[in-house]
Amino acid sequence: MTADAFPALSGLAYGGDYNPEQWPREVWDEDVRLMQEAGVNLVSVGIFSWALLEPKEGLFEFGWLDELLELLHANGIAVDLGTPSVSPPAWFFHQYPESRVTLSDGTVMGFGSRGMASHASTEYRAAIERMAAELAQRYGTHPAVVMWHVHNEYGVPVAEDFGPRAVASWRRWLQQRYETLEALNAAWGTAFWGQCYDDWEHVVAPAATPTTVNPAMKLDWARFTDEQLRECFRLECEAIRAHATQPITTNFMAHQSWNTDLWKWGREVDVVSDDHYLWCADEEAHIALALSADLTRSVARGNPWMLLEHSTSAVNWQGRNVAKRPGEMRRNAMTHLGRGADAIMFFQWRASRSGAEKFHSAMVPHAGPQSRVFREVVQLGAHLKALEEIKGSRVMADVAVLYDWESLWAQDLEWRPSDDLQFRERMRAYYERLWCDDVTVDFAHPEDDLSRYRLVVAPASYLLTKAAGENLTSYVAGGGTLLVSCFSGIVDEHDRVHEGGFGAPLRDALGLTVEEFLPLREGATMSVELDGERLSADVWAEHIALCGAQVRGTFADGPGAGLPAITRHTHGDGQGWYVGTRLSSAELSAVMSGVYADAGIAPAAHHEALEVVTRRGDSHDFVIVVNHGDADAELTIIGTDLLTGSRIDGTLELAGGDVAVVRTAQSRQGGDHR
Ligand code: GLA
């Protein structure tokens, strides 16, 4: 992936999924007129159009799409052209019923929804390859088409397939990975419960079983499923690349995805893109949004990325679909932009009258253009136009948070010490602390080169390979500050407990191992004493075996009463901090002050409701400021607010809910090597 792989548009991209096949032809003309009014310059087209494009097997009808692309092009709107592989037509499943997905309990998924094709089906693979080739042949040089949007959100609604063809592919995949059954038996620890295999044909998939399934098998199954999805993606990409040169993307779901290891996917796409929706039950959903945006930028390895979908207001697929408040859509968009997005797009352009998503918000809502939502859409388009010079600028971070999808898959399996200790919850708590302190972070894989970061935080590194342990240890030895949360460094890549005590791969970096886990009963709490302060903790205590670390915090009560809870260790030129319990983001504050001091990081002094992120351009910094609170807030800064054109001579005053983007002189902050 290269920066110049970004679609050829003069400014930031603005628009959304456009599904005009749901509307009579005359509505298209109104659509392009309104798109122009809103400043839309890019739309994603054709994602669900297979049934129209190939109404019968081998019969392709492109006339309507030709006409649509001409109309958009004539009106200066570029196209992100979808391949419709997420939703094969009825005739396909009628003709090839074995191409449907089989669930772990044997249920075969029926037609009438979307995303129910088996990645293992040879007919499905042939059909998507042919469709991609047909589209690329026809539109590979079309002036409207600036990029390709392959498939839609790989891995949802279903990723795993337990049908006979998928199981046959699974066996082939395992044979390639392990070569011998001895190696497979060793990796899966099949001596336990007498699961040894002596014939490849006997190897099963982790479908429904009487009790917990072999966790190492389950972990490999997750890797296999992810790899199968990528194989399907590659098939389409190759078919497109044979006829077309526009960049190719597929829309990820960063922190919301489960089945896709985005570190691997990020290497496959020309440009990284993401879909993000607020989770209504989360009253601080804008923090989850920021996390997702930082993770997406990190998957893009710092390159500009595209927000391909978010919502103008409510979604329709949660239990209670809360509408966005006036100004909230703009705040959301500015957070994505601030964290590196050069495209702000929505699902979808015009609200659907029929179908499963008729109550989902859109850029043009059912109320039509005379509506609050459309007025805000027009305002956002004007803002993005005013921010064109930001395009291509980069976010710099001094802190990395470790994120590994393999560790997520492994940690959240059944039968672990406590169901209450969860990967995503810990990730959010630590991220939230950093967010509240206004410390911008990248995410990184535990085996990445981390030497440019002052601080590395590991909120949930249950699976940690020997190589990752060595990487983190030499990071600390070289002068880095490492903060590790409990239940980290426990198993290797086969979900086998590391020898030498829990956390052994980090023994040198942290100056400890863990002798025994002491999880708490549901709802129970305890106290930790740290520097004369009493912190409230829950879920997890443990018996730490010190080998050099200095005790900073102690369990005051609960199952670990009197034992160390929080430690700091000097290894080489750096420090390894360890938190052996679950602390909320607020309680973590007391730990972070020491960690920041070691890392030489100064948390922000401004109001907690203010989100402040900097993008570095060639000659200026652009400071994106979002006020998530209701009250007015102030920020000390000198520069020009690009949204209002006004000069700021020291104090930016931002009303509750408002946003600003300040062009300012380049600061030294961010991205400097330690
Ligand atoms: C996903 C899909 C879209 C649409 C939205 C609704 O992101 O990609 O097609 O279903 O959800 O929120």
Side-chain angles (χ1 to χ4, degrees):
M1 186 173 65
T2 57
D4 54 15
F6 210 81
L9 295 172
S10 60
L12 299 164
Y14 186 50
D17 282 17
Y18 182 36
N19 299 301
E21 60 268 43
Q22 297 172 13
W23 295 93
R25 175 64 184 79
E26 59 274 15
V27 176
W28 300 9
D29 295 318
E30 193 198 5
D31 282 335
V32 289
R33 188 176 56 70
L34 292 175
M35 283 178 191
Q36 286 178 323
E37 188 181 332
V40 164
N41 59 3
L42 181 67
V43 289
S44 303
V45 162
I47 299 167
F48 296 101
S49 304
W50 193 336
L52 280 187
L53 293 169
E54 192 183 2
K56 289 191 187 332
E57 186 165 14
L59 174 74
F60 293 92
E61 286 187 0
F62 293 114
W64 69 274
L65 188 53
D66 290 348
E67 189 180 348
L68 178 69
L69 297 193
E70 286 314 320
L71 178 70
L72 290 166
H73 185 56
N75 287 279
I77 298 155
V79 171
D80 165 31
L81 188 55
T83 67
S85 49
V86 75
S87 204
W91 63 255
F92 177 82
F93 291 106
H94 179 78
Q95 184 79 3
Y96 306 109
E98 64 289 357
S99 292
R100 291 171 297 165
V101 166
T102 305
L103 300 186
S104 64
D105 65 359
T107 308
V108 178
M109 298 277 93
F111 185 71
S113 177
R114 67 175 175 185
M116 72 297 282
S118 161
H119 53 63
S121 157
T122 42
E123 293 82 8
Y124 173 68
R125 288 185 173 213
I128 61 173
E129 202 177 350
R130 189 177 57 215
M131 172 60 81
E134 289 283 340
L135 284 166
Q137 247 168 324
R138 194 165 187 100
Y139 302 112
T141 55
H142 195 292
V145 178
V146 295
M147 63 184 293
W148 294 90
H149 179 306
V150 169
H151 200 82
N152 192 64
E153 296 185 338
Y154 277 98
V156 293
V158 284
E160 297 175 317
D161 178 24
F162 293 85
R165 287 155 154 204
V167 175
S169 310
W170 160 239
R171 292 197 186 108
R172 283 194 295 277
W173 184 85
L174 289 170
Q175 272 176 294
Q176 270 178 11
R177 182 171 171 84
Y178 292 109
E179 292 179 6
T180 67
L181 279 170
E182 289 70 31
L184 177 130
N185 281 316
W188 288 5
T190 55
F192 181 79
W193 282 355
Q195 295 169 357
C196 310
Y197 296 102
D198 70 351
D199 186 327
W200 285 104
E201 285 306 303
H202 299 174
V203 178
V204 295
T209 47
T211 182
T212 295
V213 82
N214 182 320
M217 168 160 69
K218 198 86 198 278
L219 178 57
D220 266 346
W221 175 257
R223 293 181 176 120
F224 158 78
T225 300
D226 178 39
E227 182 55 37
Q228 294 294 293
L229 299 175
R230 252 189 325 274
E231 267 184 30
C232 290
F233 175 68
R234 276 186 213 121
L235 273 179
E236 291 199 55
C237 289
E238 280 160 26
I240 291 170
R241 287 188 179 121
H243 308 284
T245 55
Q246 300 99 329
I248 300 178
T249 196
T250 182
N251 43 347
F252 300 151
M253 287 164 294
H255 193 45
Q256 289 165 328
S257 81
W258 175 273
N259 297 297
T260 46
D261 179 347
L262 295 187
W263 295 126
K264 292 192 174 128
W265 281 88
R267 295 196 283 268
E268 307 268 340
V269 295
D270 294 323
V271 56
V272 165
S273 46
D274 196 46
D275 295 350
H276 185 270
Y277 292 94
L278 300 181
W279 188 246
C280 297
D282 180 357
E283 289 185 15
E284 310 267 22
H286 56 276
I287 299 179
L289 184 158
L291 190 166
S292 167
D294 284 338
L295 183 56
T296 307
R297 183 188 69 255
S298 306
V299 165
R301 297 294 175 194
N303 288 310
W305 57 278
M306 304 181 73
L307 178 70
L308 273 197
E309 291 181 26
H310 71 317
S311 66
T312 57
S313 187
V315 299
N316 70 311
W317 40 263
Q318 298 177 21
R320 288 144 208 91
N321 297 291
V322 178
K324 289 190 181 176
R325 301 313 304 140
E328 191 175 355
M329 174 187 86
R330 184 172 68 146
R331 287 196 295 282
N332 292 166
M334 287 298 153
T335 295
H336 286 294
L337 185 88
R339 294 177 189 273
D342 273 1
I344 301 295
M345 317 265 293
F346 293 93
F347 175 84
Q348 60 177 333
W349 166 251
R350 185 182 279 278
S352 302
R353 284 191 64 200
S354 308
E357 295 182 323
K358 59 185 175 296
F359 295 124
H360 196 293
S361 60
M363 297 173 85
V364 182
H366 289 296
Q370 302 307 326
S371 56
R372 173 190 73 81
V373 166
F374 190 70
R375 280 189 292 276
E376 290 197 22
V377 163
V378 172
Q379 182 201 43
L380 180 58
H383 280 352
L384 294 174
K385 184 99 190 113
L387 295 176
E388 272 182 7
E389 64 188 282
I390 281 185
K391 191 178 176 186
S393 58
R394 305 300 171 100
V395 177
M396 316 294 240
D398 283 335
V399 178
V401 175
L402 299 186
Y403 197 109
D404 181 5
W405 275 272
E406 294 207 350
S407 196
L408 162 67
W409 295 336
Q411 181 179 338
D412 285 8
L413 289 171
E414 304 147 296
W415 286 19
R416 51 201 155 121
S418 173
D419 284 351
D420 297 332
L421 196 66
Q422 289 175 0
F423 179 97
R424 287 203 164 125
E425 185 282 328
R426 284 294 77 195
M427 201 56 77
R428 164 65 181 267
Y430 277 83
Y431 181 85
E432 185 165 329
R433 182 68 260 141
L434 292 153
W435 187 95
C436 291
D437 293 338
D438 201 26
V439 175
T440 303
V441 306
D442 285 340
F443 285 88
H445 186 274
E447 291 183 30
D448 282 347
D449 176 5
L450 302 165
S451 55
R452 71 195 173 90
Y453 296 106
R454 288 172 187 272
L455 169 65
V456 171
V457 181
S461 292
Y462 162 75
L463 184 158
L464 202 71
T465 61
K466 200 162 162 281
E470 285 164 7
N471 188 40
L472 295 172
T473 305
S474 57
Y475 165 75
V476 175
T481 304
L482 174 68
L483 169 63
V484 177
S485 173
C486 55
F487 206 40
S488 289
I490 307 300
V491 299
D492 69 7
E493 60 273 33
H494 301 301
D495 199 45
R496 273 185 310 216
V497 175
H498 283 293
E499 286 178 319
F502 295 126
L506 298 174
R507 180 194 166 99
D508 291 345
L510 301 177
L512 56 79
T513 55
V514 175
E515 200 174 305
E516 192 179 9
F517 305 137
L518 308 170
L520 275 66
R521 293 199 167 79
E522 196 176 358
T525 59
M526 66 197 157
S527 307
V528 170
E529 217 165 84
L530 175 73
D531 300 332
E533 247 189 275
R534 280 230 158 184
L535 308 179
S536 171
D538 62 4
V539 171
W540 193 268
E542 58 188 18
H543 184 166
I544 291 174
L546 297 169
C547 45
Q550 176 200 358
V551 178
R552 297 296 298 264
T554 306
F555 289 110
D557 49 30
L563 294 172
I566 297 165
T567 62
R568 174 181 182 269
H569 180 58
T570 299
H571 174 65
D573 294 334
Q575 274 77 37
W577 284 77
Y578 183 69
V579 177
T581 185
R582 193 177 86 148
L583 295 174
S584 68
S585 138
E587 302 285 329
L588 273 170
S589 190
V591 182
M592 291 314 285
S593 52
V595 173
Y596 290 148
D598 276 346
I601 289 170
H606 57 71
H607 196 280
E608 224 178 69
L610 273 195
E611 179 177 8
V612 183
V613 205
T614 303
R615 288 183 62 159
R616 174 153 300 177
D618 290 337
S619 49
H620 288 99
D621 280 354
F622 302 98
V623 181
I624 291 86
V625 193
V626 182
N627 187 352
H628 293 282
D630 293 329
D632 297 359
E634 289 186 350
L635 181 76
T636 306
I637 195 165
I638 296 172
T640 303
D641 183 348
L642 297 176
L643 298 181
T644 60
S646 40
R647 176 84 205 149
I648 300 144
D649 282 323
T651 307
L652 169 72
E653 285 170 9
L654 206 57
D658 206 355
V659 299
V661 180
V662 183
R663 188 209 294 123
T664 175
Q666 286 200 337
S667 74
R668 250 184 56 76
Q669 155 266 341
D672 297 326
H673 293 216
R674 50 164 207 274

